[in-house]
Amino acid sequence: MLGAGFMARTHTAAARVARADLAALASSSPETASRAAAELGYASATTADELIASGLDVVHVCTPNPTHVDYARAALRAGAHVICEKPLATSAAEARELAAEAERAGRPGAVPFVYRYHPMVREARARIAEGEAGAVLTISGHYLQDWLLDPGDDDWRVSSESGGPSRAFADIGSHLVDLLEFVSGDRIARLAAVTRTVHPERGGRAVTTEDTAALAVELAGGGIGTLLVSQVAPGRKNGLTLEIAGSRESLRFEQEDPERLWVGRRGHSLLLRRDPDTLGADAARLSPLPAGHPQGYQDAFNAFVADAYAAAAGETPAGLPTFADGARAAVITDAVLASASAGTWVEVSAE
Ligand code: SOE
């Protein structure tokens, strides 16, 4: 494990469920590493270089964004399977290079776009893939949080040096566009974005990264949509919502209420609840608990890590987000920044 923050804890809990041998943890200082290793149950605390050189099967990269590429590449070259937090890189070019190298190494990596692992997301995806929902006409989505609402709120992601040029979009917009493309089976072909930095100063430093982003998108398949991303939306903690209107049904998924999927129809609408006995195979596979026993964020994370380990062992689990998907989100992030700065629509490369 590289890192000792919230994501390191979440990955570790999932690694335990997958019966990983928690070999070593490294962090920004020896003190933090020793404390976190003891708290989370790693056998040793070490430095990043030693950890990578020690020949582990899997390395989890949960460090600040600009360090992802160097650590992931070094771990890959040392022979490890790498699970790297998003954004995979702070530019599309670097993310693509890393994804290509991982592909060549035969270890395509994994990026925790974990909302894919909610069973009701798989149900929505299956309804579109199997034609039940019809052709995708419109998409509306938002991802709203409030943890950076006040000018006094600060974090390493706020500074472009320690977080990268995009903040709100790279941090949470990336999840939203990954989910949109995963569920719809379609791709964003063009977009127009507006971004705002609501607080130009935080912690005595000038802020250049965005607090909010609003997008209009066109899909390759002809559908159109709007997306809103904010880290300054009062009362919204982790409000990711995706609504897709097909020509026969609408589908609405809310991350904070992940046991349900709204299926809108002109005649009568349905509110489906997660029930492995009645859902499709993909949704049922991700339902270790029976109906009526709510699953949530950590369950999705556990399922993601289990699949990433299965891929490391040579299996091909359905819907595992790889470095290629991390690179795709980085391509869209670059397009958002380019569009916002030029004030025009931009084409989003298909790769
Ligand atoms: C903070 O914005 C954060 O922890 C993101 O970094 C995660 O990706 C998201 O899942 C929850 O919010």
Side-chain angles (χ1 to χ4, degrees), residues 18-342:
R19 302 215 194 94
D21 180 8
L22 305 180
L25 178 146
S27 178
S28 50
S29 74
E31 296 73 39
T32 327
S34 299
R35 204 176 333 112
E39 202 181 296
L40 299 176
Y42 284 84
S44 66
T46 179
T47 64
D49 289 347
E50 279 178 18
L51 184 148
I52 288 169
S54 67
L56 298 168
D57 296 322
V58 180
V59 173
H60 292 245
V61 181
C62 299
T63 52
N65 306 342
T67 63
H68 289 173
V69 169
D70 286 350
Y71 284 147
R73 191 190 294 118
L76 198 61
R77 289 182 183 173
H81 290 269
V82 184
I83 301 178
C84 183
E85 264 302 331
K86 32 66 33 189
L88 183 59
T90 52
S91 77
E94 277 189 310
R96 277 182 171 138
E97 266 172 41
L98 180 60
E101 178 165 348
E103 202 57 55
R104 282 197 302 277
R107 277 171 276 120
V111 175
F113 288 127
V114 291
Y115 303 122
R116 290 184 180 201
Y117 278 85
H118 285 296
M120 301 318 280
V121 161
R122 299 292 175 127
E123 186 67 17
R125 183 175 192 241
R127 292 180 94 90
I128 293 178
E130 288 157 17
E132 244 167 300
V136 173
L137 304 179
T138 60
I139 296 196
S140 55
H142 56 246
Y143 198 157
L144 308 175
Q145 298 180 331
D146 70 0
W147 64 287
L148 289 168
L149 178 62
D150 297 326
D153 295 324
D154 208 354
D155 183 73
W156 58 261
R157 292 174 181 85
V158 166
S159 142
S160 52
E161 279 96 67
S162 52
S166 168
R167 189 226 314 155
F169 198 85
D171 189 37
I172 56 175
S174 57
H175 277 297
L176 182 58
V177 292
D178 178 77
L179 202 65
L180 180 167
E181 294 195 340
F182 181 68
V183 173
S184 69
D186 208 337
R187 292 223 140 186
I188 297 175
R190 300 176 72 218
L191 63 82
V194 180
T195 60
R196 291 278 185 274
T197 301
V198 175
H199 301 303
E201 206 182 289
R202 290 183 192 259
R205 285 174 287 109
V207 175
T208 54
T209 56
E210 77 285 357
D211 290 305
T212 60
L215 277 67
V217 300
E218 269 184 31
L219 305 181
I224 57 173
T226 56
L227 304 176
L228 184 65
V229 172
S230 172
Q231 293 183 315
V232 291
R236 292 295 177 201
K237 304 304 170 191
N238 205 30
L240 186 165
T241 297
L242 181 66
E243 182 163 325
I244 301 183
S247 48
R248 273 195 282 282
E249 326 181 305
S250 291
L251 301 164
R252 181 181 179 90
F253 173 77
E254 296 182 18
Q255 192 283 142
E256 290 182 344
D257 192 9
E259 290 278 283
R260 308 197 298 183
L261 178 72
W262 180 71
V263 179
R265 292 187 186 152
R266 194 166 185 189
H268 61 282
S269 297
L270 309 169
L271 193 54
L272 298 185
R273 282 187 169 273
R274 185 185 60 79
D275 179 350
D277 292 340
T278 59
L279 296 180
D282 204 18
R285 175 179 85 86
L286 299 175
S287 292
L289 298 179
H293 299 71
Q295 290 184 198
Y297 179 75
Q298 186 68 51
D299 296 286
F301 224 105
N302 294 353
F304 159 75
V305 168
D307 267 8
Y309 290 176
E315 292 173 35
T316 46
L320 175 70
T322 64
F323 280 9
D325 299 297
R328 173 69 187 160
V331 165
I332 299 173
T333 304
D334 270 18
V336 166
L337 293 186
S339 168
S341 111

